[in-house]
Amino acid sequence: QVQLVESGGGLVQPGGSLRLSCVASGSIFSISTMSWYRQAPGKQRDLVAAITSGGITNYADSVKGRFTISRDNAKNTVYLQMNSLKPEDTAVYYCKLEWKNFGVLVATHWGQGTQVTVSS
């Protein structure tokens, strides 16, 4: 039922900025934890940032101070503002929705990803 569509990726120079967006269908967005993951070729998919339904955020150490996750429940959208981008940030970025009931994970949904390339 839930579908996630990412956008905003592209080619940017080191030190530049991008803002990724993820729009969710369905009615469970506002009560779900949203997160961004990234995966480079040949590497595992790693958590970049997460935000709970209550607005609590968590970031990977590698992006702290550079990336900011936020959400707009009225638009069913989660954002990832990426500043001071580095070549090692190059990856496909995926949006993830987690729906929990009484602390139990009952549903997980992934977007198809958007490519971010940081290069001169």
Side-chain angles (χ1 to χ4, degrees):
Q1 178 70 278
V2 175
Q3 291 186 325
L4 306 174
V5 180
E6 302 100 332
S7 63
L11 175 64
V12 64
Q13 294 183 331
S17 298
L18 285 173
R19 188 179 77 159
L20 306 183
S21 299
C22 173
V23 180
S25 66
S27 61
I28 63 172
F29 177 88
S30 63
I31 58 173
S32 299
T33 293
M34 301 299 299
S35 59
W36 288 95
Y37 285 71
R38 66 186 181 187
Q39 186 170 25
K43 298 184 179 180
Q44 66 182 19
R45 187 174 297 186
D46 294 325
L47 175 68
V48 177
I51 183 167
T52 69
S53 61
I56 300 173
T57 59
N58 183 46
Y59 298 92
D61 288 341
S62 59
V63 306
K64 287 181 179 177
R66 299 189 298 121
F67 291 9
T68 302
I69 189 171
S70 61
R71 65 193 297 160
D72 186 340
N73 288 343
K75 297 181 178 179
N76 271 22
T77 302
V78 63
Y79 304 95
L80 185 67
Q81 178 66 47
M82 305 186 295
N83 299 325
S84 302
L85 283 162
K86 305 174 181 179
E88 51 263 44
D89 295 319
T90 296
V92 177
Y93 284 70
Y94 297 91
C95 179
K96 180 185 180 182
L97 180 152
E98 293 178 288
W99 182 25
K100 295 180 179 179
N101 188 25
F102 299 103
V104 179
L105 182 65
V106 295
T108 300
H109 300 277
W110 291 91
Q112 293 301 304
T114 184
Q115 177 71 48
V116 172
T117 302
V118 185
S119 179
S120 298

